[in-house]
Amino acid sequence: MNTREYEWADVTVIIGGRDITGVRGIKYMEKIEREAVYAKGRKPKSIQSGNISYEGEITVLQTELDALSEAGGGTILSLNVDCEFNYGNPSAGDELKTDRMEGIRFTQSEKELKQGDKFMEVTIPFVAIDLINNV
């Protein structure tokens, strides 16, 4: 049994077929609506499920944001891309694990830089159509 944990150096992010080398952070999730159903009494009788949604954010350096914006004709908000998150280093003997998000649409483009910053780091939130774990 391999108990090795993945580390940041083992992560590769591919957006629209392009290796994003200026990635600084990733976060993505699958969510489902849940609601308790009440009837007679004070306690729920069941929990019902609703829609499933996929969202997340990617944190990149400003140069990566610029490259994505250029690919989108001047804005990332017009992009519709797929993304792969690869975990592991096959050259070190790791089994490569891949999560794939399909139909990513970025929801916001914001830049911020403060006195003393040595570089610009940008967090870009997104929504997606699907998440396929362990492709």
Side-chain angles (χ1 to χ4, degrees):
M1 181 174 195
N2 183 357
T3 59
R4 184 179 179 283
E5 297 292 334
Y6 297 120
E7 54 202 39
W8 184 247
D10 297 329
V11 175
T12 301
V13 177
I14 310 289
I15 295 179
R18 182 172 170 270
D19 185 357
I20 306 298
T21 58
V23 65
R24 303 262 305 157
I26 56 172
K27 175 179 159 181
Y28 55 97
M29 68 191 82
E30 176 180 25
K31 297 184 343 183
I32 188 166
E33 296 172 348
R34 302 264 192 218
E35 181 178 328
V37 176
Y38 292 88
K40 184 178 178 182
R42 289 181 172 36
K43 295 183 179 182
K45 300 300 178 195
S46 68
I47 296 177
Q48 297 300 111
S49 300
N51 292 330
I52 295 174
S53 63
Y54 309 94
E55 60 187 63
E57 57 188 36
I58 182 166
T59 303
V60 297
L61 296 173
Q62 170 259 319
T63 52
E64 289 292 352
L65 177 63
D66 291 346
L68 287 168
S69 293
E70 186 176 321
T75 178
I76 61 169
L77 300 180
S78 65
L79 290 174
N80 185 355
V81 294
D82 294 339
C83 181
E84 288 187 357
F85 303 100
N86 299 304
Y87 302 92
N89 183 352
S91 63
D94 296 343
E95 179 182 349
L96 189 64
K97 299 284 186 182
T98 300
D99 291 343
R100 179 177 175 84
M101 293 201 89
E102 296 179 342
I104 284 180
R105 299 296 305 261
F106 297 107
T107 60
Q108 182 176 321
S109 179
E110 178 180 10
K111 294 182 180 180
E112 180 181 356
L113 199 60
K114 299 181 292 297
Q115 195 283 327
D117 286 351
K118 309 301 183 273
F119 56 89
M120 185 186 293
E121 182 178 271
V122 182
T123 300
I124 314 166
F126 62 82
V127 294
I129 292 175
D130 200 4
L131 170 62
I132 304 164
N133 291 300
N134 300 317
V135 174

